[in-house]
């Protein structure tokens, strides 16, 4: 739950920046960059960009504690990016 609140905080910060600069396209630009960055980072940490053989070897060599920590980090990054992705998508279609 804390991770979603952090993501919402980033959205609020992006909204405040766009209001202060009177440029509402900044809202979907900032939240879009955060959303895409979080998706790419979580994919990197999950091992989505590795082929099957390498992923199998990596999974065999890591301990259960390491795997749990990696999955937790991946989920945390995704939860931070989720509100940003939602707001970026909505604000993009509303402003264009």
């Amino acid at each position: 739950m804390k991770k979603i609140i952090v993501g919402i905080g980033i959205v609020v910060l992006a909204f405040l920046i766009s209001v202060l600069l009177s440029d509402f396209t900044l809202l979907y630009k900032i939240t879009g960059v955060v959303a895409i960055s979080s998706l790419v980072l979580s994919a990197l940490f999950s091992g989505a960009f590795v082929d099957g053989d390498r992923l199998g070897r990596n999974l065999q060599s890591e301990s259960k504690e390491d795997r749990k920590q990696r999955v937790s980090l991946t989920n945390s990054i995704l939860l931070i990016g989720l509100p940003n992705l939602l707001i970026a998508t909505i604000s993009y279609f509303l402003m264009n």
Side-chain angles (χ1 to χ4, degrees), residues 14-35:
F15 179 75
L16 291 174
I17 289 171
S18 65
V19 167
L20 288 174
L21 296 177
S22 299
D23 185 9
F24 288 102
T25 60
L26 284 176
L27 179 62
Y28 70 81
K29 289 178 183 177
I30 294 171
T31 55
V33 166
V34 171

Side-chain angles (χ1 to χ4, degrees), residues 4 7 11 35 38-39 76-88:
I4 292 178
V11 169
S38 68
L39 288 174
S76 296
I77 294 172
L78 276 176
L79 287 175
I80 289 171
L82 186 65
N84 289 284
L85 180 64
L86 181 69
I87 297 300

